[in-house]
Amino acid sequence: MAEPRYRAASKSSPVPMHFQVERDMRERILNGTWKPGQQLPGEMELCNLYGVSRTTVRQALAVLVDEGLIVRERGRGSFVRDLTITAGARGLTSFSDEMAARGMHAGARVLSIGLEPSTPEMAQRLRLAAGEALVVVRRVRYANDTPIGIQTAYLPAARFPELERADLNERSLYQYLEERYGVVPAEAVEIFSMTTISGQQAQLLQVGEGTCGFHVERLTFDEAKQPFEFVVSILRGDRYRVQLFLRASRRQR
């Protein structure tokens, strides 16, 4: 099916020109003409298509950004915003299970996996002796083939012998730990903070330099309350958000 023709903005209309452009672009997004993740025509091309100035196009784009319909990435252009993954009140699950619960296919690409000595800070978190060997797994995580985050997991090598040999591409780490070692996560503590994504991380996540994102630390415990995994994740701020449900205590009601 051919894409609908662009409606040139009319100077004689009482409707402001930037609103006319914005309205047509919004319709293309909402009716599916422009698909999630699709790159929009460049500013100059939009100027020619709608017969307006660059200032008018930028006004229209700014409104669509504010509405959350598009995202502008420095050096790359404007894109239709994809479905945002919302993390709210949930059980302790793997990334794979979290994506599956949202009807999305989870993927993974291992950047590196191997043994490293634990730093004093990491040893303290995992209740190990400083310098004790860790298995360190670095992966890019995907949802429907879109990179969502970079995860680095630290696990005690003595507890998980030969884990560094495992093929964790396209596989849940938690599922592997349960099947191979009988270890099941029982509870975890997560801390979210804001960060900027730059350098190699920006390239891996396909975002512009300096894009905002989440820095997430998770310490996971087994059923015996023993920590067995510490994970640092860098998540795209335009593809992931956190939603909390708050309830007043009885004393406050």
Side-chain angles (χ1 to χ4, degrees), residues 5-57:
R5 293 183 61 184
Y6 290 81
R7 298 194 292 266
S10 173
K11 293 182 180 179
S12 61
S13 171
V15 179
M17 295 182 72
H18 73 85
F19 184 80
Q20 296 178 53
V21 175
E22 163 201 326
R23 180 174 57 192
D24 186 73
M25 295 175 68
R26 185 186 294 105
E27 288 179 6
R28 291 172 185 273
I29 294 171
L30 297 180
N31 66 22
T33 299
W34 288 345
K35 308 295 184 185
Q38 179 178 337
Q39 185 172 11
L40 276 60
E43 287 185 359
M44 290 308 300
E45 185 177 354
L46 289 172
C47 291
N48 295 329
L49 290 169
Y50 289 110
V52 297
S53 69
R54 197 163 190 170
T55 298
T56 298
V57 165

Side-chain angles (χ1 to χ4, degrees), residues 87-88 90 98 189-195 213-218 233 235 240-244:
R90 65 198 192 280
E98 186 178 353
V189 177
E190 276 189 337
I191 299 176
F192 281 73
S193 59
M194 295 300 297
T195 189
F214 291 107
H215 178 277
V216 187
E217 296 182 354
R218 175 193 277 198
S233 301
L235 303 173
Y240 198 93
R241 66 182 181 185
V242 180
Q243 178 175 288
L244 301 177

Side-chain angles (χ1 to χ4, degrees), residues 77-134:
S78 300
F79 297 81
V80 178
R81 191 160 190 170
D82 208 340
L83 295 176
T84 302
I85 300 164
T86 301
R90 65 198 192 280
L92 175 53
T93 61
S94 67
F95 180 88
S96 300
D97 289 338
E98 186 178 353
M99 295 303 102
R102 288 160 174 76
M104 307 178 78
H105 171 71
R109 176 166 67 90
V110 174
L111 299 174
S112 65
I113 180 170
L115 299 175
E116 297 181 14
S118 61
T119 63
E121 179 184 6
M122 198 62 64
Q124 183 178 16
R125 292 179 187 275
L126 293 171
R127 301 177 189 172
L128 305 173
E132 192 170 337
L134 298 174

Side-chain angles (χ1 to χ4, degrees), residues 54-229:
R54 197 163 190 170
T55 298
T56 298
V57 165
R58 288 179 173 176
Q59 286 179 306
L61 291 172
V63 171
L64 297 177
V65 169
D66 289 342
E67 292 180 358
L69 294 176
I70 67 172
V71 59
R72 307 195 73 182
E73 298 183 3
R74 186 179 304 173
R76 297 188 66 216
S78 300
F79 297 81
V80 178
R81 191 160 190 170
D82 208 340
L83 295 176
T84 302
I85 300 164
T86 301
R90 65 198 192 280
L92 175 53
T93 61
S94 67
F95 180 88
S96 300
D97 289 338
E98 186 178 353
M99 295 303 102
R102 288 160 174 76
M104 307 178 78
H105 171 71
R109 176 166 67 90
V110 174
L111 299 174
S112 65
I113 180 170
L115 299 175
E116 297 181 14
S118 61
T119 63
E121 179 184 6
M122 198 62 64
Q124 183 178 16
R125 292 179 187 275
L126 293 171
R127 301 177 189 172
L128 305 173
E132 192 170 337
L134 298 174
V135 180
V136 182
V137 184
R138 296 183 176 89
R139 297 187 292 173
V140 179
R141 305 310 309 268
Y142 296 84
N144 288 351
D145 298 323
T146 297
I148 299 297
I150 302 169
Q151 289 185 332
T152 304
Y154 303 85
L155 304 99
R159 186 168 185 182
F160 303 107
E162 298 189 347
L163 175 60
E164 68 276 11
R165 300 176 182 271
D167 181 1
L168 297 175
N169 288 290
E170 305 297 330
R171 188 170 190 182
S172 165
L173 175 59
Y174 282 0
Q175 181 181 8
Y176 186 83
L177 295 181
E178 181 177 2
E179 293 175 354
R180 176 73 187 274
Y181 305 101
V183 175
V184 178
E187 59 185 37
V189 177
E190 276 189 337
I191 299 176
F192 281 73
S193 59
M194 295 300 297
T195 189
T196 54
I197 304 173
S198 58
Q200 185 184 26
Q201 292 179 338
Q203 295 177 15
L204 291 171
L205 294 178
Q206 299 176 14
V207 298
E209 189 80 11
T211 297
C212 289
F214 291 107
H215 178 277
V216 187
E217 296 182 354
R218 175 193 277 198
L219 183 61
T220 309
F221 300 81
D222 60 19
E223 295 172 328
K225 309 294 185 183
Q226 176 67 29
F228 70 87
E229 177 204 42

